Amino acid sequence: MPVTVLLVDDEPLVRAGLRAVLETQPDITVVGEAADGASVIPLVRQLRPDVVAMDVRMPLMDGIEATRAVLRTVEQPPKIIVVTTFENDEYVYDALRAGADGFLLKRARPAEIVHAVRLVAEGESLLFPATVRKLAAEYGDRPGNAQARAVLERARLTEREAEVLRLMTRGLSNGEIAVRLTVGTETVKSHVSAVLAKLGARDRTQAVITAFESGFVTPS
């Protein structure tokens, strides 16, 4: 399936590098570029990209606020990957909490960049469990944790759904969870969908963050 991408970064060389990598792939097309988060919403509405690769730190509107704005105001919003220099960064954690589907390091290899774009375009989260766990341990102790606990309590997950959520926090794919639980992949997909719906989570990343911040799973 063809994938369209919007690049958002205040550094022209970064945008040029990402474009050069992505456009080597016959199924990926870069449909536009922006130098700041403030330009994202009109471009998303005009170009309707499948994926936005968004710098997390920009001068006028950073990737966190731009992510929130897109998800709040755009009907059927694109998938969002935040692009960062440092993975252990509060900005990255805040972007994931805001609804980004994952993050990618600027020093990532070309194959990793292509894989990330395809993965989120297909509806998966670009989740690095060890890093997300570390970020949650460092930056997740906030007043919002009470809200996360309330969300989890209201969700009333079944025993199997709770087990699936614990495995999600470890970064296991649907197939890996299926093997672990000795059930079919379609059964796991049903459980994951139920977990996301009950938690009100946009994707697996949001569900995992709720699991950490609520204390359902200890991030340390």
Side-chain angles (χ1 to χ4, degrees):
M1 181 181 71
V3 178
T4 56
V5 182
L6 172 65
L7 304 177
V8 186
D9 197 295
D10 61 330
E11 297 182 37
L13 285 177
V14 172
R15 297 199 307 272
L18 288 172
R19 178 183 282 272
V21 168
L22 294 174
E23 292 198 329
T24 62
Q25 305 301 308
D27 61 327
I28 299 177
T29 302
V30 175
V31 293
E33 297 183 15
D36 194 81
S39 306
V40 171
I41 290 179
L43 282 174
V44 165
R45 286 178 171 153
Q46 175 190 349
L47 301 171
R48 304 302 302 176
D50 299 308
V51 177
V52 176
M54 180 120 63
D55 187 14
V56 73
R57 292 177 181 264
M58 292 178 284
L60 298 179
M61 179 185 285
D62 64 32
I64 302 164
E65 287 305 315
T67 295
R68 289 196 185 105
V70 168
L71 297 181
R72 185 175 62 246
T73 63
V74 176
E75 187 176 352
Q76 295 182 325
K79 302 296 183 179
I80 298 175
I81 303 173
V82 291
V83 184
T84 180
T85 303
F86 305 106
E87 64 181 22
N88 189 22
D89 188 335
E90 188 172 6
Y91 274 72
V92 172
Y93 189 66
D94 283 343
L96 295 176
R97 294 178 84 245
D101 297 280
F103 70 92
L104 186 65
L105 293 176
K106 291 186 178 182
R107 64 175 181 271
R109 297 190 299 271
E112 293 172 330
I113 296 170
V114 170
H115 174 69
V117 167
R118 287 188 178 133
L119 192 68
V120 298
E122 291 169 1
E124 296 291 336
S125 296
L126 187 63
L127 188 58
F128 301 94
T131 299
V132 174
R133 186 179 299 111
K134 185 176 180 181
L135 289 170
E138 187 163 357
Y139 303 116
D141 186 16
R142 304 180 180 190
N145 290 12
Q147 181 179 353
R149 285 192 291 272
V151 167
L152 194 67
E153 288 172 5
R154 288 196 303 269
R156 296 185 182 277
L157 299 179
T158 66
E159 184 176 342
R160 179 47 60 92
E161 288 165 355
E163 192 172 12
V164 167
L165 179 56
R166 288 190 185 93
L167 295 174
M168 287 165 60
T169 67
R170 296 169 62 180
L172 271 64
S173 67
N174 288 345
E176 290 167 333
I177 294 174
V179 170
R180 186 67 60 90
L181 300 180
T182 62
V183 298
T185 302
E186 291 303 317
T187 299
V188 173
K189 287 181 180 179
S190 296
H191 287 315
V192 170
S193 295
V195 169
L196 298 185
K198 288 184 176 183
L199 295 179
R202 180 171 182 253
D203 55 29
R204 296 167 82 103
T205 301
Q206 306 309 303
V208 166
I209 287 174
T210 297
F212 285 143
E213 293 193 342
S214 66
F216 176 75
V217 173
T218 304
S220 59

